[in-house]
Amino acid sequence: MMRRCPIGLLALAGALALSGGPAAADSLIINGTTRTFTLQAPAARPAPLVIVLHGKTQSSADMITRTSWPLIARRDGLAAVYPDGLNHAWADSRPDQRRAGNPPSEGTDDVAFITQLIAKLVDDGIADPKRIYVTGISNGGAMAMTLACERADLFAAAASVVMNLTDESARACRPARPVPVLLMNGTVDPLIPYQGGRGTSYFAVDGFWSTERTLEFWRRIDGCETRDAATTDLPDRNPSDQSTVTRIDSACPQGRNVVLYRVNGGGHRMPGHFPDAHFTKLAATLLGPQNGDIDGADTIWAFFMRFP
């Protein structure tokens, strides 16, 4: 099932980015509120399931059209589901003062939403309950970490892109079991600063941990050694993107892992071979450079496939 063709080559097909496989809109009722999602179902079932969470101000459509997840799902026969946050945002474990812009309405329970979504897809025979993964970007990355903290029993692994923990989200994190975690952060991110604190953007808020501290936290959760096990500079395949990538590995017990992809010179962007915004020049000005040396989704999926 897992025949892998480089996403960079698939990207040349262009139109495939919008047709990674049949996708259907659907909904659930959570606490009296209709919650929507788009499902890309696999041909063979049950299959691994990847839950892809958009960033703030985005929707499921952005993850479908501006990342390679649909291509990966088609290539490797997995199920991909793209939920929609209320008010284009997720109710992760941070308090409102740690959020930029408008949060979801008070009382929104996104943990319940994703939990019931997983239950539906498992009950329908679509998802393999032993191979369920969650990933997200920005606010979606914070939600992915919240889910790993609160419902570790559901996930084989989790990945967060351009997000760090805060004091509040770390205090609230008591996972029932260790969860392998991948982090992917840019060193010149103007919204979620790599060194912690408050970013340089007008829209930034204060109180973020550094990426190093966030990495240390997940290493401790997974029972890993505190030191870096290895640091690898990846090939600079796109010299024009103003950035490079370094992979930082951890020494962890069997069946666990924590890895950081540090995007040197990267901004608040998902690395990849597709433009992650409609107005690319404006995005570069507001969010910083987008790395093109790796494909973020393909890198995350390669990590997920190792677990369980």
Side-chain angles (χ1 to χ4, degrees), residues 20-304:
D26 204 342
S27 64
L28 290 171
I29 304 297
I30 307 296
N31 299 329
T33 301
T34 300
R35 303 302 305 269
T36 59
F37 61 92
T38 300
L39 173 66
Q40 186 179 357
R45 309 177 183 187
L49 170 67
V50 178
I51 300 162
V52 183
L53 304 175
H54 62 73
K56 180 166 285 188
T57 76
Q58 294 183 318
S59 68
S60 59
D62 291 292
M63 297 296 97
I64 294 169
T65 60
R66 301 196 185 282
T67 75
S68 60
W69 280 114
L71 290 172
I72 294 166
R74 180 175 181 174
R75 180 192 68 191
D76 290 349
L78 60 98
V81 66
Y82 311 90
D84 291 297
L86 295 178
N87 199 25
H88 299 281
W90 298 105
D92 60 77
S93 55
R94 295 173 294 161
D96 284 349
Q97 65 265 30
R98 299 289 186 236
R99 305 173 188 273
N102 297 322
S105 57
E106 186 175 354
T108 299
D109 190 344
D110 281 324
V111 172
F113 172 32
I114 301 303
T115 299
Q116 291 192 37
L117 177 57
I118 291 170
K120 170 181 170 51
L121 298 178
V122 170
D123 289 346
D124 290 348
I126 294 171
D128 179 349
K130 294 182 179 179
R131 295 185 292 170
I132 295 174
Y133 312 92
V134 62
T135 183
I137 182 169
S138 191
N139 180 203
M143 191 66 219
M145 287 194 280
T146 296
L147 287 161
C149 292
E150 297 191 23
R151 293 307 310 262
D153 57 304
L154 295 177
F155 300 104
S160 169
V161 181
V162 295
M163 180 52 63
N164 288 323
L165 292 167
T166 67
D167 286 343
E168 298 86 357
S169 57
R171 281 197 299 267
C173 187
R174 298 181 178 86
R177 64 173 182 81
V179 178
V181 170
L182 179 149
L183 304 173
M184 188 177 289
N185 288 354
T187 61
V188 296
D189 189 328
L191 287 173
I192 310 297
Y194 192 89
Q195 300 300 333
R198 178 173 182 157
T200 58
S201 170
Y202 172 82
F203 302 102
V205 295
D206 201 3
F208 286 101
W209 283 14
S210 69
T211 297
E212 286 88 349
R213 189 178 179 190
T214 302
L215 177 66
E216 290 171 2
F217 177 90
W218 286 109
R219 282 175 172 171
R220 186 168 63 252
I221 290 292
D222 276 10
C224 309
E225 296 183 17
T226 57
R227 64 175 177 82
D228 297 345
T231 300
T232 306
D233 292 325
L234 302 185
D236 187 8
R237 301 185 187 282
N238 187 351
S240 66
D241 66 6
Q242 307 173 57
S243 60
T244 60
V245 179
T246 300
R247 188 182 68 239
I248 300 171
D249 292 297
S250 305
C252 302
Q254 182 69 28
R256 310 176 194 178
N257 198 9
V258 179
V259 63
L260 165 65
Y261 283 82
R262 184 183 69 210
V263 185
N264 311 300
H268 194 74
R269 313 284 293 275
M270 173 77 155
H273 303 302
F274 302 103
D276 62 349
H278 183 66
F279 300 103
T280 54
K281 291 184 178 179
L282 180 61
T285 299
L286 296 178
L287 302 176
Q290 180 188 18
N291 178 267
D293 298 324
I294 64 172
D295 184 85
D298 208 30
T299 301
I300 290 167
W301 176 233
F303 177 80
F304 283 171

